[in-house]
Amino acid sequence: MTSRLAVIAGPTAVGKGTVVRHLLAEHPEFKLSVSATTRTPRPGEVDGVDYFFWTQARFDEAIRNNELLEYATVHGLNRYGTPRKPVEDALARGENIVLEIDIQGAKLVKAAMPEALTIFIQPPSWDELVRRLSTRGTEDASEQEKRLATARVELASADDFDYQVINDEVAKCAQEVVELLS
Ligand code: 5GP
């Protein structure tokens, strides 16, 4: 199998993080790209593992130096970006690399690297997406409203992706992703 750059995106609360974790646990031949972000770490998050936690100044410098393959402001709050070099090095070594990034970022990667395979994770239904967002309880009501508004716009982008996979059951969704990448 030739090395693959896979970009996995989807609306808020669709469960893409869980799908990606499952994919990586079952398929160690895929490595996750560690993104940079200006947001503050959550309890338990480790710099260089979960994210590179950068200051605004460091992020600006990375943009100036063309160190980022793509970057975007997510949920109107913090900036997130994919460091270019680790991705290029992994591909040069013949490794498979997975990016779990937002929809704007996914489109930018596809434009820069058309060989990337972009996968849009779909919720089984709109009501189920609303339910997942409210039951995870990490956002207050007004933040949930904002994310759902973004999700509506994002769902309209699904057709711009190479493939769409419905996340009704995590293991099944991850398996479908593996099959697309193989
Ligand atoms: P969180 O702050 O919850 O870890 O992530 C928020 C959002 O940022 C998620 O939708 C995630 O996909 C997106 N994200 C994480 N890393 C990147 C990145 O490198 N680039 C872009 N464009 N989005 C990212």
Side-chain angles (χ1 to χ4, degrees), residues 32-36 46-52 81-83 86-87 97-99:
L32 186 67
S33 152
V34 179
S35 296
V46 177
D47 187 37
V49 176
D50 299 287
Y51 282 105
F52 297 104
T82 305
V87 172
I97 188 141
V98 176
L99 270 52

Side-chain angles (χ1 to χ4, degrees), residues 35-82:
S35 296
T37 181
T38 57
R39 87 153 158 73
T40 48
R42 298 186 185 124
E45 283 184 333
V46 177
D47 187 37
V49 176
D50 299 287
Y51 282 105
F52 297 104
F53 293 100
W54 285 355
T55 60
Q56 298 288 353
R58 174 69 186 94
F59 206 97
D60 287 337
E61 181 192 61
I63 295 170
R64 271 198 312 275
N65 295 341
N66 199 25
E67 289 173 55
L68 298 174
L69 182 57
E70 62 74 35
Y71 62 93
T73 300
V74 178
H75 303 309
L77 278 174
N78 296 298
R79 289 187 290 173
Y80 295 79
T82 305

